[in-house]
């Protein structure tokens, strides 16, 4: 039983967050430089989906990796998004 818990703790997981479509570009950055830097810095796989979620103005960001690395990655993403106000339509 201990081995199973240890294996689960070492396995990759993925988490998702919704970001207003006008802010998603900040996570990607000019020519993808910001997202590339986040991937290198955190070791996570990051995917920003192109289309907004159905009936929403939010885009999905999926982050996969070790739980501690995901937490670091989300922290970095939130720092990037903190000073950027949403622009345009906002559908909740």
């Amino acid at each position: 039983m201990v081995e199973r818990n240890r294996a689960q703790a070492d396995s990759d997981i993925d988490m998702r967050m919704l970001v207003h479509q006008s802010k998603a570009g900040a996570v990607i950055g000019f020519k993808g430089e910001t997202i590339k830097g986040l991937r290198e810095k955190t070791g996570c796989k990051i995917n920003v989906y192109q289309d907004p979620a159905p009936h929403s103005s939010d885009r999905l960001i999926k982050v996969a990796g070790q739980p501690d690395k995901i937490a670091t990655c989300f922290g970095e993403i939130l720092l990037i998004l903190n000073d950027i106000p949403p622009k345009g339509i906002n559908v909740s």
Side-chain angles (χ1 to χ4, degrees):
M1 183 89 161
V2 173
E3 291 299 319
R4 180 179 212 173
N5 290 338
R6 186 176 298 161
Q8 289 175 345
D10 292 339
S11 56
D12 286 354
I13 62 169
D14 65 69
M15 293 184 70
R16 296 167 176 94
M17 74 185 306
L18 292 173
V19 175
H20 191 271
Q21 61 188 356
S22 66
K23 293 182 164 195
V27 176
I28 298 167
F30 183 70
K31 294 187 178 181
E33 289 297 318
T34 303
I35 197 168
K36 181 180 175 186
L38 283 169
R39 288 174 179 147
E40 291 172 357
K41 184 175 183 177
T42 64
C44 291
K45 297 175 186 171
I46 308 166
N47 188 14
V48 179
Y49 289 84
Q50 185 171 354
D51 296 323
H55 310 290
S56 175
S57 56
D58 295 330
R59 288 172 59 183
L60 183 70
I61 297 176
K62 183 172 106 173
V63 179
Q66 296 292 313
D68 58 332
K69 293 180 180 182
I70 289 176
T72 302
C73 188
F74 274 122
E76 293 290 327
I77 291 171
L78 291 173
L79 285 173
I80 292 167
L81 299 176
N82 189 42
D83 296 327
I84 301 171
K87 298 176 186 171
I89 195 166
N90 189 9
V91 178
S92 299

Coordinates of all heavy atoms in Angstrom, one line a residue:
M1 N 0.8 -1.2 0.0 CA 0.0 0.0 0.0 C 0.9 1.3 0.0 O 0.5 2.2 -0.7 CB -0.9 0.0 1.2 CG -1.9 1.1 1.3 SD -3.3 0.7 0.4 CE -4.4 1.9 1.0
V2 N 2.0 1.2 0.7 CA 2.9 2.4 0.8 C 3.4 2.7 -0.6 O 3.5 3.8 -1.0 CB 4.0 2.2 1.8 CG1 5.0 3.3 1.7 CG2 3.4 2.1 3.2
E3 N 3.8 1.6 -1.3 CA 4.4 1.8 -2.6 C 3.4 2.4 -3.6 O 3.8 3.3 -4.4 CB 4.8 0.4 -3.2 CG 6.0 -0.2 -2.5 CD 7.2 0.7 -2.6 OE1 7.5 1.3 -3.7 OE2 7.9 0.9 -1.6
R4 N 2.1 2.1 -3.5 CA 1.1 2.7 -4.3 C 1.0 4.2 -4.1 O 0.9 5.0 -5.0 CB -0.2 2.0 -4.1 CG -1.3 2.5 -5.0 CD -2.6 1.7 -4.7 NE -3.3 1.7 -5.9 CZ -4.4 1.1 -6.1 NH1 -4.9 0.3 -5.2 NH2 -5.0 1.1 -7.3
N5 N 1.0 4.6 -2.8 CA 0.9 6.0 -2.5 C 2.1 6.8 -3.0 O 2.0 7.9 -3.4 CB 0.7 6.2 -1.0 CG -0.7 5.8 -0.5 OD1 -1.6 5.7 -1.3 ND2 -0.8 5.4 0.8
R6 N 3.3 6.2 -2.8 CA 4.5 6.8 -3.3 C 4.5 6.9 -4.8 O 4.8 8.0 -5.4 CB 5.7 6.0 -2.9 CG 7.0 6.7 -3.2 CD 8.2 5.9 -2.7 NE 8.1 5.9 -1.3 CZ 8.8 5.0 -0.5 NH1 9.6 4.1 -1.1 NH2 8.7 5.0 0.8
A7 N 4.0 5.9 -5.5 CA 3.9 6.0 -7.0 C 2.9 7.1 -7.4 O 3.1 7.8 -8.3 CB 3.5 4.6 -7.5
Q8 N 1.8 7.2 -6.7 CA 0.8 8.2 -7.0 C 1.4 9.6 -6.7 O 1.1 10.6 -7.5 CB -0.5 8.1 -6.2 CG -1.3 6.9 -6.6 CD -2.5 6.6 -5.7 OE1 -2.6 7.2 -4.6 NE2 -3.4 5.8 -6.2
A9 N 2.2 9.8 -5.7 CA 2.8 11.1 -5.4 C 3.8 11.5 -6.5 O 4.0 12.7 -6.7 CB 3.5 11.0 -4.0
D10 N 4.5 10.5 -7.1 CA 5.5 10.8 -8.1 C 4.9 10.9 -9.5 O 5.6 11.3 -10.4 CB 6.5 9.7 -8.1 CG 7.4 9.7 -6.8 OD1 7.4 10.7 -6.2 OD2 8.0 8.6 -6.5
S11 N 3.6 10.6 -9.7 CA 3.1 10.7 -11.0 C 2.6 12.1 -11.4 O 2.3 12.9 -10.6 CB 1.9 9.7 -11.2 OG 0.9 10.0 -10.2
D12 N 2.7 12.3 -12.7 CA 2.2 13.7 -13.2 C 0.7 13.8 -13.1 O 0.0 12.8 -13.3 CB 2.7 13.8 -14.7 CG 4.2 14.1 -14.8 OD1 4.8 14.2 -13.8 OD2 4.6 14.1 -16.0
I13 N 0.3 15.0 -12.9 CA -1.1 15.3 -13.0 C -1.3 16.5 -13.9 O -0.3 17.1 -14.4 CB -1.7 15.7 -11.5 CG1 -1.0 16.9 -11.0 CG2 -1.5 14.5 -10.6 CD1 -1.6 17.5 -9.7
D14 N -2.6 16.8 -14.2 CA -2.8 18.1 -14.9 C -3.9 18.9 -14.2 O -4.8 18.3 -13.6 CB -3.1 17.8 -16.4 CG -4.4 17.1 -16.7 OD1 -5.5 17.6 -16.4 OD2 -4.3 15.9 -17.1
M15 N -3.8 20.2 -14.3 CA -4.8 21.1 -13.8 C -5.1 22.1 -14.9 O -4.3 22.4 -15.8 CB -4.3 21.8 -12.5 CG -4.1 20.8 -11.4 SD -3.6 21.6 -9.9 CE -5.1 22.5 -9.5
R16 N -6.3 22.7 -14.7 CA -6.7 23.6 -15.7 C -7.2 24.9 -15.1 O -7.6 24.9 -13.9 CB -7.9 23.0 -16.5 CG -7.4 21.8 -17.3 CD -8.6 21.1 -17.9 NE -8.2 20.0 -18.7 CZ -8.1 18.7 -18.3 NH1 -8.3 18.4 -17.0 NH2 -7.7 17.8 -19.1
M17 N -7.1 26.0 -15.8 CA -7.6 27.3 -15.3 C -8.2 28.0 -16.5 O -7.8 27.8 -17.6 CB -6.5 28.1 -14.6 CG -5.5 28.8 -15.5 SD -4.1 29.6 -14.7 CE -4.9 30.8 -13.6
L18 N -9.2 28.8 -16.2 CA -9.8 29.7 -17.2 C -9.3 31.1 -17.1 O -9.2 31.6 -16.0 CB -11.4 29.7 -17.0 CG -12.1 28.4 -17.3 CD1 -13.5 28.5 -16.9 CD2 -11.9 28.0 -18.8
V19 N -9.0 31.7 -18.2 CA -8.4 33.0 -18.3 C -9.2 33.8 -19.4 O -9.5 33.2 -20.5 CB -6.9 32.9 -18.7 CG1 -6.3 34.3 -18.9 CG2 -6.1 32.2 -17.6
H20 N -9.5 35.0 -19.1 CA -10.2 35.8 -20.1 C -9.4 35.8 -21.4 O -8.2 35.9 -21.4 CB -10.4 37.3 -19.6 CG -11.3 38.1 -20.4 ND1 -10.9 38.8 -21.5 CD2 -12.7 38.2 -20.4 CE1 -11.9 39.4 -22.1 NE2 -13.0 39.0 -21.4
Q21 N -10.1 35.7 -22.5 CA -9.5 35.6 -23.8 C -8.5 36.7 -24.1 O -7.5 36.5 -24.8 CB -10.5 35.4 -24.9 CG -11.4 36.6 -25.1 CD -12.6 36.2 -26.1 OE1 -12.6 35.2 -26.7 NE2 -13.5 37.2 -26.2
S22 N -8.8 37.9 -23.6 CA -7.9 39.0 -23.9 C -6.6 38.9 -23.1 O -5.6 39.6 -23.4 CB -8.6 40.4 -23.5 OG -8.8 40.5 -22.2
K23 N -6.6 38.1 -22.0 CA -5.4 37.9 -21.2 C -4.5 36.7 -21.6 O -3.3 36.6 -21.3 CB -5.7 37.8 -19.7 CG -6.3 39.0 -19.1 CD -6.6 38.7 -17.6 CE -6.8 40.0 -16.9 NZ -6.7 39.7 -15.4
A24 N -5.1 35.8 -22.4 CA -4.4 34.6 -22.7 C -3.2 34.9 -23.6 O -2.2 34.1 -23.4 CB -5.4 33.7 -23.5
G25 N -3.2 35.9 -24.4 CA -2.0 36.2 -25.2 C -0.8 36.6 -24.3 O 0.3 36.4 -24.7
A26 N -1.0 37.1 -23.1 CA 0.1 37.5 -22.2 C 0.8 36.2 -21.7 O 2.0 36.3 -21.5 CB -0.4 38.3 -21.1
V27 N 0.0 35.1 -21.6 CA 0.7 33.9 -21.1 C 1.5 33.3 -22.3 O 2.6 32.8 -22.1 CB -0.4 32.9 -20.7 CG1 0.2 31.6 -20.3 CG2 -1.2 33.5 -19.5
I28 N 1.0 33.5 -23.5 CA 1.7 33.0 -24.7 C 3.0 33.8 -24.9 O 4.1 33.3 -25.2 CB 0.8 32.9 -25.9 CG1 -0.3 31.9 -25.6 CG2 1.6 32.5 -27.1 CD1 -1.5 32.0 -26.6
G29 N 2.7 35.2 -24.9 CA 3.8 36.1 -25.2 C 4.1 36.3 -26.7 O 3.6 35.5 -27.5
F30 N 5.0 37.3 -27.0 CA 5.4 37.6 -28.3 C 6.1 36.4 -28.9 O 7.1 35.9 -28.4 CB 6.2 38.8 -28.4 CG 6.6 39.3 -29.8 CD1 5.7 39.7 -30.6 CD2 7.9 39.2 -30.2 CE1 6.0 40.1 -31.9 CE2 8.3 39.6 -31.4 CZ 7.3 40.1 -32.3
K31 N 5.6 35.8 -30.0 CA 6.2 34.7 -30.7 C 6.4 33.5 -29.8 O 7.2 32.6 -29.9 CB 7.5 35.0 -31.3 CG 7.4 36.0 -32.5 CD 8.7 36.2 -33.2 CE 8.6 37.2 -34.3 NZ 9.8 37.4 -35.1
G32 N 5.5 33.4 -28.7 CA 5.6 32.2 -27.8 C 6.7 32.2 -26.8 O 6.9 31.2 -26.1
E33 N 7.4 33.4 -26.6 CA 8.5 33.4 -25.7 C 8.1 33.2 -24.3 O 8.8 32.6 -23.5 CB 9.3 34.7 -25.9 CG 10.0 34.8 -27.3 CD 11.1 33.7 -27.4 OE1 11.8 33.5 -26.4 OE2 11.2 33.1 -28.5
T34 N 7.0 33.8 -23.8 CA 6.6 33.7 -22.4 C 6.3 32.3 -22.1 O 6.8 31.8 -21.0 CB 5.4 34.7 -22.1 OG1 5.8 36.0 -22.5 CG2 5.1 34.6 -20.7
I35 N 5.5 31.6 -22.9 CA 5.1 30.3 -22.5 C 6.3 29.3 -22.6 O 6.4 28.4 -21.8 CB 3.9 29.8 -23.4 CG1 3.2 28.6 -22.8 CG2 4.3 29.5 -24.9 CD1 1.9 28.2 -23.5
K36 N 7.2 29.6 -23.5 CA 8.4 28.8 -23.7 C 9.2 28.9 -22.4 O 9.7 28.0 -21.8 CB 9.2 29.2 -24.9 CG 10.5 28.4 -25.1 CD 11.2 28.9 -26.3 CE 12.5 28.2 -26.5 NZ 13.3 28.7 -27.6
G37 N 9.4 30.2 -21.9 CA 10.1 30.4 -20.7 C 9.5 29.8 -19.5 O 10.2 29.2 -18.6
L38 N 8.1 29.8 -19.4 CA 7.4 29.1 -18.3 C 7.7 27.6 -18.3 O 7.9 27.0 -17.3 CB 5.9 29.4 -18.4 CG 5.4 30.8 -18.0 CD1 4.0 30.9 -18.4 CD2 5.6 30.9 -16.5
R39 N 7.7 27.1 -19.5 CA 7.9 25.6 -19.7 C 9.3 25.3 -19.2 O 9.5 24.3 -18.5 CB 7.7 25.2 -21.1 CG 6.3 25.2 -21.6 CD 6.1 24.9 -23.1 NE 4.8 24.8 -23.5 CZ 4.3 25.2 -24.7 NH1 5.2 25.6 -25.6 NH2 3.1 25.1 -25.0
E40 N 10.3 26.1 -19.6 CA 11.7 25.8 -19.2 C 11.9 26.0 -17.7 O 12.6 25.2 -17.1 CB 12.6 26.7 -20.0 CG 12.7 26.3 -21.5 CD 13.5 27.3 -22.3 OE1 13.9 28.3 -21.8 OE2 13.6 27.1 -23.5
K41 N 11.3 27.0 -17.2 CA 11.5 27.4 -15.8 C 10.8 26.4 -14.8 O 11.4 26.0 -13.8 CB 10.9 28.8 -15.5 CG 11.1 29.3 -14.1 CD 10.7 30.7 -14.0 CE 10.9 31.3 -12.6 NZ 10.5 32.7 -12.5
T42 N 9.6 25.9 -15.2 CA 8.9 25.0 -14.3 C 9.0 23.6 -14.6 O 8.7 22.7 -13.8 CB 7.4 25.5 -14.3 OG1 6.8 25.3 -15.5 CG2 7.2 26.9 -13.8
G43 N 9.3 23.2 -15.9 CA 9.3 21.9 -16.3 C 8.0 21.3 -16.6 O 7.8 20.1 -16.7
C44 N 7.0 22.1 -16.7 CA 5.6 21.7 -16.9 C 5.3 21.8 -18.4 O 5.8 22.6 -19.1 CB 4.6 22.6 -16.2 SG 4.6 22.4 -14.4
K45 N 4.3 21.0 -18.8 CA 3.7 21.1 -20.1 C 2.5 22.1 -20.0 O 1.7 21.9 -19.2 CB 3.2 19.7 -20.6 CG 4.3 18.7 -20.7 CD 3.7 17.4 -21.1 CE 4.8 16.3 -21.1 NZ 4.3 14.9 -21.2
I46 N 2.5 23.1 -20.9 CA 1.5 24.1 -20.8 C 0.8 24.2 -22.2 O 1.5 24.3 -23.2 CB 2.1 25.5 -20.4 CG1 2.9 25.3 -19.1 CG2 1.0 26.5 -20.3 CD1 3.8 26.5 -18.9
N47 N -0.5 24.2 -22.2 CA -1.3 24.3 -23.4 C -2.3 25.4 -23.2 O -3.1 25.3 -22.3 CB -1.9 23.0 -23.8 CG -2.5 23.0 -25.1 OD1 -2.3 24.0 -25.9 ND2 -3.4 22.0 -25.4
V48 N -2.3 26.4 -24.0 CA -3.3 27.5 -24.0 C -4.2 27.2 -25.2 O -3.8 27.3 -26.4 CB -2.7 28.9 -24.1 CG1 -3.9 29.9 -24.1 CG2 -1.8 29.2 -23.0
Y49 N -5.5 26.8 -24.9 CA -6.4 26.5 -26.0 C -6.8 27.7 -26.8 O -7.0 28.8 -26.2 CB -7.6 25.7 -25.5 CG -7.3 24.3 -25.0 CD1 -6.7 24.1 -23.7 CD2 -7.4 23.3 -25.9 CE1 -6.4 22.8 -23.3 CE2 -7.1 22.0 -25.5 CZ -6.6 21.8 -24.2 OH -6.2 20.5 -23.8
Q50 N -6.9 27.6 -28.1 CA -7.2 28.7 -28.9 C -8.6 29.3 -28.8 O -8.8 30.5 -28.8 CB -6.9 28.4 -30.4 CG -7.0 29.5 -31.4 CD -6.5 29.1 -32.7 OE1 -6.0 28.1 -33.0 NE2 -6.7 30.0 -33.7
D51 N -9.6 28.4 -28.8 CA -11.0 28.8 -28.8 C -11.5 29.0 -27.3 O -11.1 28.2 -26.4 CB -11.9 27.8 -29.5 CG -11.5 27.6 -30.9 OD1 -11.2 28.7 -31.5 OD2 -11.6 26.5 -31.5
P52 N -12.3 30.0 -27.1 CA -12.9 30.2 -25.8 C -13.8 29.0 -25.4 O -14.3 28.3 -26.3 CB -13.8 31.4 -25.9 CG -13.3 32.1 -27.1 CD -12.8 31.0 -28.0
A53 N -14.0 28.8 -24.1 CA -15.0 27.8 -23.6 C -16.4 28.1 -24.2 O -16.7 29.2 -24.4 CB -14.9 27.7 -22.1
P54 N -17.2 27.1 -24.3 CA -18.6 27.3 -24.9 C -19.3 28.3 -24.0 O -19.3 28.2 -22.8 CB -19.2 25.9 -24.8 CG -18.1 25.0 -24.8 CD -16.9 25.7 -24.1
H55 N -20.0 29.3 -24.6 CA -20.8 30.3 -23.9 C -20.0 31.1 -22.9 O -20.5 31.5 -21.9 CB -22.0 29.6 -23.3 CG -22.8 28.7 -24.1 ND1 -23.6 29.2 -25.2 CD2 -22.9 27.4 -24.2 CE1 -24.1 28.2 -25.8 NE2 -23.7 27.0 -25.2
S56 N -18.7 31.4 -23.3 CA -17.9 32.1 -22.3 C -16.9 32.9 -23.1 O -16.7 32.7 -24.3 CB -17.1 31.0 -21.5 OG -16.2 31.7 -20.7
S57 N -16.3 33.9 -22.4 CA -15.2 34.7 -23.0 C -13.8 34.2 -22.5 O -12.9 34.9 -22.6 CB -15.4 36.1 -22.8 OG -15.5 36.4 -21.4
D58 N -13.8 33.0 -21.8 CA -12.6 32.5 -21.2 C -11.9 31.4 -22.1 O -12.6 30.6 -22.7 CB -12.9 32.0 -19.8 CG -13.3 33.0 -18.9 OD1 -12.9 34.2 -19.0 OD2 -14.1 32.7 -17.9
R59 N -10.6 31.4 -22.0 CA -9.9 30.3 -22.7 C -9.3 29.4 -21.6 O -9.0 29.9 -20.5 CB -8.8 30.9 -23.6 CG -9.3 31.6 -24.8 CD -8.3 32.3 -25.6 NE -7.2 31.5 -26.1 CZ -6.2 32.1 -26.8 NH1 -6.2 33.3 -27.1 NH2 -5.2 31.3 -27.2
L60 N -9.1 28.2 -22.0 CA -8.6 27.2 -21.1 C -7.1 27.1 -21.1 O -6.5 27.1 -22.2 CB -9.2 25.8 -21.4 CG -8.8 24.7 -20.5 CD1 -9.5 24.8 -19.1 CD2 -9.3 23.4 -21.1
I61 N -6.4 27.1 -20.0 CA -5.0 26.8 -19.9 C -4.8 25.5 -19.1 O -5.3 25.4 -18.0 CB -4.2 28.0 -19.2 CG1 -4.4 29.3 -19.9 CG2 -2.7 27.6 -19.0 CD1 -3.7 30.5 -19.3
K62 N -4.1 24.6 -19.7 CA -3.9 23.3 -19.1 C -2.4 23.2 -18.8 O -1.6 23.4 -19.6 CB -4.3 22.1 -20.0 CG -4.1 20.7 -19.4 CD -4.7 19.7 -20.2 CE -3.7 18.9 -20.9 NZ -4.1 17.7 -21.6
V63 N -2.1 22.8 -17.5 CA -0.7 22.7 -17.1 C -0.6 21.2 -16.5 O -1.4 20.8 -15.7 CB -0.4 23.7 -16.0 CG1 1.0 23.5 -15.5 CG2 -0.6 25.1 -16.4
A64 N 0.4 20.5 -17.0 CA 0.7 19.1 -16.6 C 2.1 19.0 -16.1 O 3.0 19.6 -16.6 CB 0.4 18.2 -17.8
G65 N 2.2 18.2 -15.0 CA 3.6 17.9 -14.5 C 3.4 17.5 -13.0 O 2.4 17.0 -12.6
Q66 N 4.5 17.6 -12.3 CA 4.5 17.2 -10.9 C 3.7 18.3 -10.1 O 3.8 19.4 -10.4 CB 6.0 17.2 -10.3 CG 6.8 16.1 -11.0 CD 6.3 14.7 -10.6 OE1 6.1 14.4 -9.4 NE2 6.2 13.8 -11.6
P67 N 3.0 17.9 -9.0 CA 2.2 18.8 -8.3 C 2.9 20.1 -7.8 O 2.4 21.2 -7.9 CB 1.7 18.0 -7.1 CG 1.7 16.6 -7.6 CD 2.8 16.5 -8.6
D68 N 4.1 19.9 -7.3 CA 4.8 21.1 -6.8 C 5.2 22.0 -8.0 O 5.2 23.3 -7.8 CB 6.0 20.7 -6.0 CG 7.0 19.8 -6.8 OD1 6.6 19.1 -7.7 OD2 8.2 19.9 -6.4
K69 N 5.6 21.5 -9.1 CA 5.9 22.3 -10.3 C 4.7 23.0 -10.8 O 4.8 24.1 -11.3 CB 6.6 21.4 -11.3 CG 7.9 20.9 -10.9 CD 8.6 20.0 -12.0 CE 9.9 19.5 -11.5 NZ 10.6 18.7 -12.5
I70 N 3.5 22.3 -10.8 CA 2.3 22.9 -11.3 C 1.9 24.1 -10.4 O 1.5 25.2 -10.9 CB 1.1 21.9 -11.3 CG1 1.4 20.9 -12.4 CG2 -0.2 22.6 -11.5 CD1 0.3 19.8 -12.5
A71 N 2.1 24.0 -9.1 CA 1.8 25.1 -8.2 C 2.7 26.3 -8.5 O 2.3 27.4 -8.6 CB 2.0 24.7 -6.7
T72 N 4.0 26.0 -8.8 CA 4.9 27.1 -9.2 C 4.5 27.7 -10.5 O 4.5 28.9 -10.6 CB 6.4 26.5 -9.3 OG1 6.7 26.0 -8.0 CG2 7.3 27.6 -9.7
C73 N 4.1 26.9 -11.4 CA 3.7 27.4 -12.7 C 2.5 28.3 -12.6 O 2.4 29.4 -13.2 CB 3.5 26.2 -13.7 SG 3.2 26.7 -15.4
F74 N 1.5 27.8 -11.9 CA 0.3 28.7 -11.7 C 0.6 30.0 -11.0 O 0.0 31.0 -11.4 CB -0.8 27.9 -10.9 CG -1.7 27.0 -11.8 CD1 -1.8 25.7 -11.6 CD2 -2.4 27.6 -12.8 CE1 -2.6 24.9 -12.3 CE2 -3.2 26.8 -13.7 CZ -3.3 25.4 -13.4
G75 N 1.5 29.9 -10.1 CA 2.0 31.2 -9.4 C 2.6 32.1 -10.4 O 2.3 33.3 -10.4
E76 N 3.4 31.6 -11.3 CA 4.0 32.4 -12.4 C 3.0 33.0 -13.3 O 3.1 34.2 -13.7 CB 5.1 31.6 -13.1 CG 6.3 31.2 -12.3 CD 7.2 32.3 -12.0 OE1 7.3 33.3 -12.8 OE2 7.8 32.3 -10.9
I77 N 2.0 32.2 -13.7 CA 1.0 32.6 -14.6 C 0.2 33.8 -13.9 O -0.1 34.8 -14.6 CB 0.0 31.5 -15.0 CG1 0.8 30.5 -15.9 CG2 -1.2 32.0 -15.7 CD1 0.1 29.2 -16.2
L78 N -0.2 33.6 -12.7 CA -0.9 34.6 -11.9 C -0.2 35.9 -11.8 O -0.7 37.0 -11.9 CB -1.4 34.1 -10.6 CG -2.4 33.0 -10.6 CD1 -2.6 32.4 -9.2 CD2 -3.7 33.5 -11.2
L79 N 1.2 35.8 -11.7 CA 2.0 37.0 -11.6 C 1.9 37.8 -13.0 O 1.8 39.0 -13.0 CB 3.4 36.7 -11.3 CG 3.7 36.4 -9.8 CD1 5.2 35.9 -9.7 CD2 3.4 37.6 -9.0
I80 N 1.9 37.0 -14.1 CA 1.9 37.6 -15.4 C 0.5 38.3 -15.6 O 0.4 39.4 -16.1 CB 2.1 36.5 -16.5 CG1 3.5 36.0 -16.5 CG2 1.7 37.1 -17.9 CD1 3.7 34.8 -17.3
L81 N -0.6 37.6 -15.2 CA -1.9 38.1 -15.4 C -2.4 39.2 -14.4 O -3.3 39.9 -14.7 CB -2.9 37.0 -15.3 CG -2.7 35.9 -16.3 CD1 -3.7 34.8 -16.1 CD2 -2.8 36.4 -17.8
N82 N -1.7 39.4 -13.3 CA -2.1 40.3 -12.2 C -2.3 41.7 -12.7 O -3.3 42.3 -12.3 CB -1.1 40.2 -11.1 CG -1.6 40.9 -9.9 OD1 -2.7 40.8 -9.5 ND2 -0.7 41.7 -9.3
D83 N -1.5 42.3 -13.5 CA -1.6 43.7 -13.9 C -2.3 43.9 -15.2 O -2.3 45.1 -15.7 CB -0.2 44.3 -13.9 CG 0.5 44.3 -12.6 OD1 -0.3 44.4 -11.6 OD2 1.7 44.1 -12.5
I84 N -2.9 42.9 -15.8 CA -3.5 43.0 -17.1 C -5.0 43.0 -16.9 O -5.6 42.0 -16.6 CB -3.1 41.9 -18.1 CG1 -1.6 41.9 -18.2 CG2 -3.8 42.1 -19.4 CD1 -1.0 40.7 -19.0
P85 N -5.7 44.2 -17.2 CA -7.1 44.2 -17.1 C -7.8 43.5 -18.3 O -7.2 43.5 -19.4 CB -7.5 45.6 -17.1 CG -6.4 46.3 -17.8 CD -5.2 45.5 -17.5
P86 N -8.9 42.8 -18.1 CA -9.6 42.2 -19.3 C -10.1 43.3 -20.2 O -10.5 44.4 -19.8 CB -10.7 41.4 -18.7 CG -10.9 42.0 -17.3 CD -9.6 42.6 -16.9
K87 N -10.0 43.0 -21.5 CA -10.5 43.9 -22.6 C -11.7 43.2 -23.3 O -11.7 42.0 -23.5 CB -9.4 44.3 -23.5 CG -8.3 45.0 -22.9 CD -7.1 45.2 -23.9 CE -5.9 45.8 -23.2 NZ -4.8 45.8 -24.1
G88 N -12.6 44.0 -23.8 CA -13.6 43.5 -24.6 C -14.7 42.8 -23.8 O -14.9 43.1 -22.7
I89 N -15.4 42.0 -24.5 CA -16.6 41.3 -24.0 C -16.3 40.4 -22.8 O -15.2 39.7 -22.9 CB -17.4 40.6 -25.1 CG1 -18.8 40.2 -24.7 CG2 -16.6 39.4 -25.5 CD1 -19.6 39.8 -25.8
N90 N -17.1 40.3 -21.8 CA -16.9 39.4 -20.7 C -18.2 38.6 -20.5 O -19.2 39.2 -19.9 CB -16.5 40.2 -19.5 CG -16.1 39.3 -18.3 OD1 -15.9 38.1 -18.5 ND2 -15.9 39.9 -17.2
V91 N -18.2 37.4 -20.9 CA -19.4 36.5 -20.7 C -19.1 35.5 -19.6 O -18.1 34.8 -19.6 CB -19.7 35.7 -22.0 CG1 -20.9 34.8 -21.8 CG2 -19.9 36.7 -23.1
S92 N -19.9 35.5 -18.5 CA -19.6 34.6 -17.4 C -20.3 33.3 -17.5 O -21.4 33.2 -17.8 CB -20.1 35.3 -16.1 OG -19.4 36.5 -15.9

